[in-house]
Amino acid sequence: MLNYFISRIASACVVILGVSCLVFFFIHLIPGDPIEVMLGESARPADREALRQALGLNQPILTQLGQYLSNLSQFDLGRSLHSKQAISSLLWERIPATVELALSGLLVALVLAFPLGIIAALKRDTAWDHSAMTVSLLGVSIPNFWMGPLLILAFSIGLGWLPVSGRDEATSIILPALTLGTAMAAILSRMIRSTLLEVLGEDYIRTARAKGLSSYQVVLRHALRNAMLPVITLIGLQLGTLLGGAVITEIVFAWPGVGQLTIEAIQKRDYPVLQACILLISVSYVVVNTMTDLVYGALDPRVRLNES
Amino acid sequence: MIRDSLSIGVIAVWVFAALFGAYFGLSPYEIDLPSILTPPNSQVWLGHDDLGRPLFDRLVEGANVSFTVAVTVVIISSVMGTLIGTTSAYFGGWFDHLIVRIIDVLLAFPGILLAIALAGVMGPGIENVVIALSIVGWVGFARLSRAQVMSVKHRDHVVAANALGSTRTTIIFRHLIPLILAPLMIEATFGIASVILAEASLSFLGLGVQPPSASWGNMVRDGTRYMLVAPHMVLMPGLAIMMVVLAVNLLGDRIRDRLDVRIKENNEK
C-alpha cells in the first residue's frame, strides 16, 4: 500500500518537473527575438537590455533553466511585464473564480450524467437508450464557445432570467457552469452506461435478481457501486478537460478566472504571466489525477497489487 | 441505418464544400454595406455578416480551412505518433522510458490548454495552428500504438519473422503496424472531430485563422458581438461545427463497432 502511494507521488513529481521544464521553453518558441515581441519594435535599446537581464535571457540556457526551477521551488513566479504586479498575487486573485466554475461545472455534469447513463443502460437498445446516447453525443459535439452564446441567447436575451456575463450576481455562475458541465456530462454518461452494462452481466447481479430484489435495489446497491470505480477515474481525467474548457468558457462569459488571465496574457504578450497560468493549470491537473489514482488504489486492492 | 446515411451525407457535403467550394464563384470577401447584418431570406439563405458578406459563402470558405487543418493535423500526428509509439514499444529500454516520460508530460496539459499556449506563443496563423495541434495530437497515437504493440510483439509470427532474419524495419512495418491499424483508424476518425473543434476554439480565441480569412471559429467570435441584433451570425457557423463534429463522431462510433473485436465478442455473449 505504502509502496504504491510513494511510487504514484514520485511519478507525479517527475511529471511536474517535466511540465515546468517544458513551460520554461515556451519563451524560446517565440519566433525572432522574444524581447522585441514583448516590448514592440519601437522600444528603446536600454529598456530591451533591462528586460533581457530581468528575464535572464542573456544567460546560457541551462543557467536560465536552473534559475527558473530554483525560483519556482520558492514559489517565485516573477512579475507581470504589463502591470508589474507579482504574478503569484495575480493568480491568487483569479483562482477562486476558476475553482468555483470548475466545481459547479462538475456538479452539473454529475447531475446530468448519472440519470442519462443509468436509463440508457437499463433500457439497452430501446428508444430511451438511443435518445440518451444521441443527447450525450450531441453534448460532445457542441463546442463550449457555441454552447455559451446559445444559452445567453435563450436565457439572458430571450427570457431575461439570467445575467449575460461577469461574476457580480449569485446567478451569474449558472450559465457558465451549464456550458462547462454539458460536455463532461456527455462523456461521463457514456462511460456510466458501458460500465453499468458490463456489471449488469455479472453473476452476482443475477443472484441479486434471483433473491427477488427490486431492480431499483439491484441497480443502486449492487450494480452502481461496482460500476463506480472506472467512473471515478474518468471524473479525475475529465477534470483536466474541464480546466482546459474553463479557459474558453471564461472568455465567453467574461468570468474573471485563471483562463481569462491566460488569454489576456497572450493578447498583451505578457509571457511570464502566460507561463505561470499554464503551469498552474497543468500542475493542478497532475495533482487531481494523482489524487484520483490514490483514491482508486485505496478503494480497489487489485490496482495497487498490479502496480507493485 | 438512417443515422449512418445522415452522418455520411453530412461529411460528404462538408468534404465537397471544402474541396470544390472555390470553383462555384462564391464571394466570401465581398463587402456589401447595404446588406450589413441582413437576416436569412429567400435570396441569401443564411444572411449577411457585419460587413455585408454572405454567410453561406464564408461558411464554405470556413469548411475549407477546417478540413485542411483537420486532415493535415491527423495525418502528421498519426504518422508521427504511430512511428514513435511502435518503435518505443518494440525496442524498449531507455528509449521507451524516455518516450513514456515525454508522453506523460504532454498529457499533463489538460485538454486544449497546450495548443492554446503554443499558438499564443508562436503567434496566430493557420500554419502555427497546424504545428500546435500536431504537437498535441501525436501523443494519443503514440500511447495507443505503444500499448497495442506491447500486446502483439511477442506473437508467434513476430518471433518467427525475427528467427528468419527479418530486419527490424520489416518487422515493424510488415508484421506489427498492420496488426494495430484498426484501433489507429478509430483514433484517427475521432481525431478529425477533435481537431475541427480545437481549430475552431483557437480561431474563436483569436489565436488561429485571422480575418479576413473565414474560419467557423472566428465567425462565431464575430457573431457574439452582434447577438442582440443578428443572432444568425452566431447560430450558422456553430451549427456547421456541431453537424460535422457529430457526423464524424457517429461515423467513429460505427467504425469502432465494426472493427473492435472486444465489443463484438461482448455482443455475441
Side-chain angles (χ1 to χ4, degrees):
Chain A
M1 181 87 173
L2 191 65
N3 280 350
Y4 171 75
F5 276 25
I6 292 173
S7 85
R8 294 304 308 155
I9 291 170
S11 115
C13 291
V14 174
V15 171
I16 288 176
L17 183 68
V19 168
S20 313
C21 292
L22 193 57
V23 168
F24 161 77
F25 283 109
F26 274 178
I27 214 161
H28 296 277
L29 287 175
I30 300 173
D33 181 4
I35 299 296
E36 194 172 302
V37 174
M38 285 184 245
L39 292 183
E41 283 174 15
S42 54
R44 289 181 310 167
D47 290 339
R48 289 183 192 198
E49 211 38 53
L51 181 59
R52 201 180 300 278
Q53 283 212 349
L55 294 178
L57 291 176
N58 50 353
Q59 310 268 353
I61 195 144
L62 282 180
T63 317
Q64 286 178 42
L65 178 62
Q67 187 61 47
Y68 179 76
L69 293 177
S70 131
N71 289 346
L72 271 188
S73 64
Q74 296 159 46
F75 297 102
D76 175 9
L77 295 163
R79 283 184 177 276
S80 156
L81 298 180
H82 198 254
S83 67
K84 313 287 178 215
Q85 245 182 302
I87 295 175
S88 46
S89 69
L90 272 179
L91 287 176
W92 273 121
E93 283 168 20
R94 304 290 190 116
I95 289 173
T98 297
V99 171
E100 187 187 330
L101 179 59
L103 290 180
S104 321
L106 179 65
L107 186 72
V108 168
L110 294 178
V111 168
L112 291 177
F114 272 93
L116 269 183
I118 294 173
I119 290 173
L122 291 181
K123 312 260 179 194
R124 188 187 182 180
D125 292 333
T126 63
W128 284 96
D129 181 18
H130 295 311
S131 340
M133 286 305 100
T134 308
V135 169
S136 93
L137 208 54
L138 214 59
V140 187
S141 310
I142 298 181
N144 280 354
F145 61 82
W146 192 54
M147 178 65 122
L150 280 189
L151 292 174
I152 293 176
L153 271 176
F155 295 101
S156 308
I157 297 175
L159 298 167
W161 289 350
L162 296 165
V164 174
S165 61
R167 194 187 170 221
D168 306 323
E169 297 169 43
T171 48
S172 300
I173 185 74
I174 298 177
L175 293 186
L178 273 176
T179 306
L180 196 55
T182 38
M184 184 175 175
I187 297 167
L188 261 183
S189 62
R190 289 167 83 79
M191 180 72 167
I192 292 170
R193 175 186 180 270
S194 66
T195 47
L196 206 53
L197 278 179
E198 237 168 68
V199 170
L200 284 173
E202 298 283 340
D203 289 344
Y204 62 86
I205 295 293
R206 203 174 46 218
T207 312
R209 285 192 205 281
K211 281 197 310 191
L213 293 182
S214 68
S215 58
Y216 172 80
Q217 277 177 310
V218 171
V219 171
L220 283 192
R221 289 188 51 187
H222 295 268
L224 204 54
R225 212 182 260 193
N226 285 293
M228 274 310 287
L229 278 176
V231 176
I232 290 177
T233 315
L234 190 70
I235 292 174
L237 285 174
Q238 282 301 312
L239 260 176
T241 320
L242 214 63
L243 290 171
V247 177
I248 292 165
T249 311
E250 286 180 10
I251 293 297
V252 173
F253 290 96
W255 188 260
V258 180
Q260 201 189 43
L261 186 67
T262 311
I263 302 300
E264 282 170 9
I266 292 176
Q267 285 163 348
K268 292 177 186 160
R269 301 181 190 283
D270 199 344
Y271 293 108
V273 175
L274 173 66
Q275 282 177 310
C277 291
I278 302 289
L279 193 64
L280 175 76
I281 301 178
S282 315
V283 169
S284 340
Y285 181 41
V286 175
V287 171
V288 169
N289 268 342
T290 311
M291 276 159 54
T292 316
D293 273 0
L294 296 182
V295 171
Y296 199 111
L299 290 178
D300 188 349
R302 285 172 301 183
V303 177
R304 46 178 199 268
L305 286 177
N306 272 346
E307 289 265 336
S308 53
Chain B
M1 201 54 205
I2 300 172
R3 218 165 66 155
D4 290 350
S5 327
L6 265 178
S7 58
I8 290 173
V10 169
I11 294 170
V13 169
W14 172 60
V15 174
F16 183 81
L19 295 179
F20 304 109
Y23 300 107
F24 284 86
L26 302 174
S27 44
Y29 302 111
E30 205 174 287
I31 296 174
D32 180 26
L33 296 180
S35 315
I36 282 176
L37 302 177
T38 321
N41 55 56
S42 56
Q43 262 107 47
V44 188
W45 291 355
L46 304 183
H48 287 96
D49 71 1
D50 54 324
L51 292 175
R53 298 170 296 191
L55 267 190
F56 177 81
D57 298 18
R58 292 190 65 76
L59 276 186
V60 173
E61 160 95 0
N64 180 284
V65 169
S66 85
F67 177 82
T68 312
V69 172
V71 172
T72 316
V73 168
V74 169
I75 290 177
I76 295 175
S77 28
S78 59
V79 170
M80 232 170 85
T82 307
L83 284 180
I84 294 175
T86 309
T87 44
S88 160
Y90 182 67
F91 291 113
W94 66 267
F95 179 63
D96 187 37
H97 278 293
L98 179 70
I99 295 296
V100 170
R101 283 290 161 222
I102 293 176
I103 291 177
D104 279 350
V105 168
L106 289 176
L107 285 178
F109 292 91
I112 193 180
L113 190 72
L114 184 58
I116 290 177
L118 289 172
V121 170
M122 291 188 297
I126 197 163
E127 298 86 4
N128 287 345
V129 168
V130 169
I131 296 173
L133 293 178
S134 304
I135 292 177
V136 179
W138 71 271
V139 185
F141 287 97
R143 195 172 55 155
L144 179 66
S145 53
R146 182 180 173 276
Q148 294 287 327
V149 169
M150 283 290 197
S151 70
V152 297
K153 73 174 186 178
H154 296 299
R155 284 208 185 158
D156 290 346
H157 75 280
V158 181
V159 177
N162 207 357
L164 286 170
S166 299
T167 60
R168 288 167 170 176
T169 320
T170 314
I171 292 179
I172 288 176
F173 285 100
R174 286 191 58 185
H175 301 293
L176 289 175
I177 291 187
L179 275 188
I180 62 167
L181 273 182
L184 287 174
M185 270 174 63
I186 300 169
E187 176 90 2
T189 314
F190 287 120
I192 293 269
S194 51
V195 173
I196 296 171
L197 277 180
E199 180 275 319
S201 306
L202 291 179
S203 297
F204 173 81
L205 292 172
L207 303 172
V209 177
Q210 296 297 300
S213 292
S215 145
W216 292 345
N218 69 22
M219 288 172 75
V220 174
R221 175 188 163 96
D222 290 343
T224 50
R225 295 187 204 123
Y226 300 95
M227 273 201 295
L228 271 176
V229 283
H232 66 279
M233 275 184 68
V234 168
L235 293 176
M236 299 306 171
L239 211 56
I241 299 171
M242 188 197 75
M243 276 168 56
V244 171
V245 172
L246 184 64
V248 176
N249 275 334
L250 282 172
L251 188 72
D253 265 3
R254 178 43 60 116
I255 298 178
R256 182 171 54 195
D257 291 350
R258 284 266 168 90
L259 297 181
D260 196 336
V261 186
R262 206 168 53 93
I263 292 176
K264 269 190 198 160
E265 278 171 1
N266 277 347
N267 284 344
E268 276 160 19
K269 267 185 204 170

